[in-house]
Amino acid sequence: MLGTVLGLALAVAVVRAERGRLLRRLVLTASGVLANFGGIPLAFAFIATIGSTAGVITGLLTDLGLGLGGFSLYSMAGLALVYLYFLIPLMVLTITPALEALRPQWREASDNLGASAWQYWRHVGGPVLLPPVLGAMMLLFASAFAAYATAKALVGSSVPLVTLQIADALSSNVVVGSENLGTALALGMVVVVGLVMAFYAWVQRRTQRWLA
């Protein structure tokens, strides 16, 4: 959810920026790179930056007597921060075409009829953007849900993610009597991702009717 909100806010700011063609190109190019930067290199980059012991920024803040205020990179909050690094760019890439497809004539007609900005977004812009925003949110969920290497390198098994539990089960690290736990989790994961992608495809079809 946080990646959806922050990514949507960034995309709106870029699309509505004056003289934004160069800025839009730079942001979309950077987003295309960052959205595909994950796995062990991403975990190592964050550990080297804000890790509890070897982080560069952590060391600087410690020297200044500040520290990280109890924040730990090797926790659920730290993992969420790392995931936002590639989820926000993915949201920008996904939602920018929908924002650019909003027709200026709709806003002009709304203004000519005396509607306020809130009324425009409530009755026109919001309903048109709702399907692509929901679809993008589902895509971000599927991407985070299926991520493995980054979480494994960062938190190991200390955070009970489904992908990490499947890996533990497949490596025979299971309780006696739960030998099929990994298979069941994997099947459930396939079903969840399949439902999410089916919903995303349905939303995309509805979006194309309005924004084509």
Side-chain angles (χ1 to χ4, degrees):
M1 179 63 72
L2 187 57
T4 302
V5 173
L6 295 178
L8 178 61
L10 177 58
V12 170
V14 171
V15 170
R16 298 183 61 182
E18 296 181 1
R19 302 178 182 178
R21 181 171 300 178
L22 178 60
L23 176 63
R24 186 180 313 173
R25 186 177 302 173
L26 290 175
V27 171
L28 291 179
T29 301
S31 296
V33 175
L34 297 178
N36 293 284
F37 181 59
I40 296 178
L42 178 60
F44 174 76
F46 271 86
I47 292 173
T49 304
I50 56 175
S52 300
T53 56
V56 176
I57 295 180
T58 304
L60 293 175
L61 293 177
T62 302
D63 293 340
L64 294 174
L66 299 176
L68 294 178
F71 172 80
S72 174
L73 183 63
Y74 314 108
S75 63
M76 190 64 188
L79 187 62
L81 176 63
V82 175
Y83 275 25
L84 287 177
Y85 187 83
F86 62 86
L87 292 179
I88 292 176
L90 181 59
M91 180 64 184
V92 172
L93 290 175
T94 306
I95 202 62
T96 297
L99 292 172
E100 291 178 337
L102 284 177
R103 300 176 184 176
Q105 295 87 344
W106 296 345
R107 185 58 185 269
E108 293 173 1
S110 177
D111 293 338
N112 291 335
L113 293 173
S116 63
W118 163 251
Q119 289 174 323
Y120 167 76
W121 286 108
R122 171 66 178 82
H123 298 287
V124 181
V128 171
L129 283 180
L130 182 60
V133 169
L134 290 177
M137 184 170 64
M138 291 296 100
L139 185 63
L140 264 62
F141 169 77
S143 179
F145 185 59
Y148 167 74
T150 301
K152 182 64 176 179
L154 193 65
V155 299
S157 300
S158 60
V159 176
L161 297 182
V162 175
T163 50
L164 299 181
Q165 293 184 43
I166 292 174
D168 287 342
L170 294 179
S171 61
S172 300
N173 186 17
V174 294
V175 180
V176 176
S178 302
E179 292 81 3
N180 295 323
L181 177 62
T183 304
L185 288 174
L187 178 60
M189 188 173 180
V190 170
V191 172
V192 170
V193 172
L195 291 175
V196 168
M197 297 312 297
F199 178 77
Y200 176 74
W202 176 74
V203 166
Q204 286 295 98
R205 288 196 299 269
R206 288 183 59 86
T207 302
Q208 290 174 358
R209 280 195 302 177
W210 285 97
L211 299 179

